[in-house]
Amino acid sequence: MSAVIGIDLGTTYSCIAFMDGQTPVVIPNLEGNNTTPSVVSFIPGGQHLVGLPALRQAISNPYNTIYSVKRLIGKKFNSPEMEQLRDKFPYRMIEAPNGDILIEAAGEIYTPQEISAFVLAYLKQCAENYLGTRVEEAVITVPAYFNDHQRQATKDSASICGLKVLRIINEPTAASLAYGFNTRKNGKVAVYDLGGGTFDITVLEIHDGIFHVLSTSGDTFLGGDDFDNRLIGWLLEEFKKEHGIDLSQDKFALQRIKEAAEKAKRELSFTPETEINLPFICSGPGGSLHIQKKINRAFFENLTRDLVENTLTICQKALKDAGLSASRLDEVILVGGQTRMPLVRQMVAEFFGRQPAARINPDEIVAIGAALQANIIKGSTRDLVLLLDVTPFSLGIETENGGFQKIIERNTTIPARKTMAFTTVENNQRRVRIHVLQGESPKAADNKSLATFELVGIDPAPAGVPQIDVTFEVDADGLLRVSARDVGTGREQKVEI
Ligand code: ADP
Ligand code: MG
């Protein structure tokens, strides 16, 4: 016998769940916690730690303690986002020959997929321990804004640790699935997910067990980490003012400050004032120096209010895409640990004109939704629940003069398939180059290139005569397949992205 589980593979924290009959249950990790830091730390002797023990290594072993790989997965070393991010991590990243990111730790080189696989293997082991059976299959969630590369890389991580992915689903969709399962209400729902590294907003319609995503939007560089960074930045500035020492270059000190800042942030969600106390943070000319600061909630709110405002701008866009006003929504679901911050709850409530749904654990709801989806795929859920998701970007090909022709529009329900006819631009043209891109700009150069391939052997004919059918197909995991077919010869070329 083997069991299927749902995995919320988070940037900062991961969570796993399974269905005990018709009841979703969160599976605790080996330390007994319901969420596990998505952290891997390599220690001497060729061993590695995962989760809380790894996170605890972050101070003493900063170069070999790898966190937030979800921010790196499926990305290129020289992408603009990475340029901005690379220096923020104490561990070493290098460029792979193919432009991907590699991580160097304890003298070894790892791909982000391999690091993620260590986390997944640990979660798998936790589930096997808890359930007393093998776990071979899982539904894994990803942010709605993950592109093809990132989704594929997530699948690769699972296969590295011997886990078969039943389905990749979007985190907000999983959350609303879990929400819908509990309440069995019909209506339009917004899922506001502010996690450690990413923000997602999704508008869905739930009707008699059918979940239809109306729109999705987000920012892969907006999350709880940014709230921490505001506090860290302020602490560094204060320290510089007081002692003339820049701690930002001291990785050891920085890690301690980072941990203290996150802890203070969490506390401020429950108490009006907290203190940051870091003795012996560094040595100055007159001996050891310390950080000791009292911080109150109002001060922290002022430091971070614009971050919350940014999320609301994105919410506005998602509502517009869905063709809805906030007042037409029936429910707002808060997901992600950062939504525990009272200011977030308050500003979200004001924006949407209603209090967010109660009795939802923002750290666990995504994993529960994934477990539910696993059960649905396995045919073990009594009710008919259909999950309809959408493409987060428009997909299309480059046309003449650097133009971009959309073939599958953004926010199209997936799985989706669409064919468009193209032709040649030169007389006796024997081959066409198909350049696949994603994005919203009418200019190809402004969009993200996904793949290029050639269709050859077209019969000689005047320009504009041959018919080339280009078909785009997005499967239920959000993965794209593109094919081009010369109608005259029946020749076909395909790429899977
Ligand atoms: P992810 O899915 O991105 O891993 P989570 O949903 O686990 O993220 O949220 C992690 C973020 O939530 C972190 O930035 C963490 O500091 C923050 N967080 C957790 N608990 C609280 C709290 N009580 N108040 C404010 N932020 C919190
Ligand atoms: Mg999350």
Side-chain angles (χ1 to χ4, degrees):
M1 227 212 73
S2 76
V4 295
I5 57 170
I7 303 178
D8 169 10
L9 184 60
T11 310
T12 47
Y13 285 88
S14 295
C15 181
I16 48 177
F18 85 112
M19 293 296 290
D20 187 1
Q22 301 299 315
T23 311
V25 176
V26 172
I27 301 174
N29 64 18
L30 302 180
E31 279 90 34
N33 299 318
N34 280 3
T35 59
T36 300
S38 309
V39 182
V40 179
S41 185
F42 297 93
I43 55 173
Q47 269 158 300
H48 71 271
L49 304 168
V50 179
L52 203 55
L55 186 61
R56 290 204 186 105
Q57 290 279 315
I59 290 176
S60 57
N61 192 13
Y63 304 107
N64 302 316
T65 300
I66 319 300
Y67 58 89
S68 288
V69 276
K70 193 173 171 183
R71 295 193 132 198
L72 318 177
I73 207 157
K75 296 214 178 112
K76 292 290 176 196
F77 186 81
N78 281 319
S79 63
E81 321 152 72
M82 283 315 304
E83 307 243 292
Q84 182 191 330
L85 196 69
R86 274 202 307 264
D87 298 339
K88 294 210 169 86
F89 295 114
Y91 53 85
R92 213 168 104 80
M93 282 178 243
I94 50 178
E95 186 176 4
N98 69 357
D100 285 354
I101 297 161
L102 294 173
I103 294 154
E104 196 186 324
E108 299 279 339
I109 305 281
Y110 300 94
T111 61
Q113 289 88 316
E114 284 169 329
I115 302 289
S116 245
F118 285 127
V119 176
L120 285 172
Y122 173 81
L123 297 172
K124 180 173 181 272
Q125 191 200 336
C126 295
E128 288 178 341
N129 262 37
Y130 182 84
L131 299 170
T133 171
R134 272 179 307 135
V135 172
E136 285 165 348
E137 296 175 306
V139 167
I140 302 182
T141 60
V142 296
Y145 247 59
F146 256 29
N147 66 27
D148 270 305
H149 296 297
Q150 293 163 303
R151 282 166 203 265
Q152 188 55 55
T154 305
K155 275 188 141 179
D156 294 344
S157 299
S159 67
I160 291 169
C161 69
L163 209 50
K164 182 175 170 231
V165 178
L166 286 174
R167 182 80 49 90
I168 296 278
I169 62 171
N170 289 338
E171 288 157 10
T173 309
S176 63
L177 184 62
Y179 164 81
F181 180 80
N182 271 337
T183 60
R184 290 163 197 277
K185 270 194 268 186
N186 285 337
K188 294 188 176 69
V189 170
V191 180
Y192 177 104
D193 180 353
L194 191 55
T198 54
F199 171 64
D200 286 287
I201 173 79
T202 303
V203 183
L204 301 106
E205 185 162 21
I206 306 176
H207 187 78
D208 293 342
I210 298 184
F211 294 67
H212 186 190
V213 176
L214 300 176
S215 76
T216 175
S217 198
D219 187 338
T220 49
F221 278 81
L222 180 56
D225 294 349
D226 298 296
F227 289 71
D228 302 353
N229 287 338
R230 289 290 167 85
L231 203 48
I232 294 167
W234 177 76
L235 288 167
L236 291 176
E237 225 173 82
E238 288 289 295
F239 196 81
K240 207 169 176 178
K241 259 192 252 161
E242 286 163 28
H243 304 287
I245 295 176
D246 178 12
L247 287 178
S248 68
Q249 299 312 311
D250 180 344
K251 288 189 169 159
F252 193 84
L254 200 57
Q255 186 61 46
R256 281 181 68 196
I257 293 171
K258 183 174 142 58
E259 221 162 89
E262 200 223 353
K263 188 164 160 275
K265 175 189 78 172
R266 287 180 186 245
E267 282 167 7
L268 287 173
S269 293
F270 303 104
T271 60
E273 189 178 87
T274 186
E275 193 176 64
I276 289 185
N277 222 323
L278 293 167
F280 312 112
I281 195 73
C282 75
S283 49
S288 292
L289 297 174
H290 321 285
I291 292 179
Q292 191 174 18
K293 288 272 170 214
K294 276 206 166 70
I295 297 155
N296 68 37
R297 187 184 286 169
F299 174 77
F300 182 60
E301 289 179 347
N302 282 333
L303 268 185
T304 54
R305 181 169 278 109
D306 63 305
L307 295 173
V308 189
E309 276 162 4
N310 289 347
T311 68
L312 299 178
T313 308
I314 298 168
C315 290
Q316 194 75 61
K317 178 168 174 280
L319 282 175
K320 190 162 167 275
D321 283 348
L324 289 176
S325 60
S327 62
R328 297 261 318 276
L329 290 174
D330 298 292
E331 195 70 88
V332 175
I333 302 172
L334 294 184
V335 180
Q338 190 59 49
T339 64
R340 289 225 163 90
M341 184 182 184
L343 182 72
V344 173
R345 294 187 165 254
Q346 179 201 321
M347 286 174 71
V348 169
E350 277 163 18
F351 176 86
F352 287 102
R354 75 185 60 246
Q355 287 303 321
R359 290 191 308 276
I360 283 177
N361 185 327
D363 308 316
E364 298 174 358
I365 189 166
V366 170
I368 287 172
L372 264 165
Q373 178 66 20
N375 234 31
I376 293 162
I377 294 169
K378 284 285 165 190
S380 323
T381 295
R382 260 182 271 126
D383 302 339
L384 172 75
V385 186
L386 249 173
L387 198 59
L388 301 172
D389 224 318
V390 298
T391 54
F393 307 98
S394 297
L395 298 160
I397 62 171
E398 183 172 347
T399 55
E400 224 187 326
N401 303 325
F404 178 60
Q405 173 66 52
K406 289 178 186 174
I407 294 185
I408 292 184
E409 294 270 348
R410 189 156 80 92
N411 282 331
T412 300
T413 302
I414 59 172
R417 188 191 153 92
K418 207 170 158 198
T419 300
M420 213 176 253
F422 293 87
T423 185
T424 52
V425 291
E426 283 164 29
N427 290 332
N428 301 323
Q429 188 175 332
R430 301 301 303 272
R431 52 175 68 212
V432 286
R433 190 174 141 267
I434 312 278
H435 184 193
V436 182
L437 301 122
Q438 72 180 25
E440 312 311 320
S441 169
K443 286 211 311 235
D446 295 342
N447 296 320
K448 187 175 161 52
S449 172
L450 295 177
T452 313
F453 65 101
E454 280 202 330
L455 179 65
V456 297
I458 301 167
D459 283 338
V465 171
Q467 185 185 333
I468 317 283
D469 281 348
V470 176
T471 301
F472 272 54
E473 209 175 340
V474 183
D475 70 12
D477 292 334
L479 293 170
L480 171 67
R481 243 167 258 114
V482 180
S483 60
R485 189 169 158 270
D486 175 9
V487 177
T489 62
R491 263 202 193 93
E492 194 170 312
Q493 233 353 291
K494 282 189 184 141
V495 277
E496 199 165 310
I497 297 162

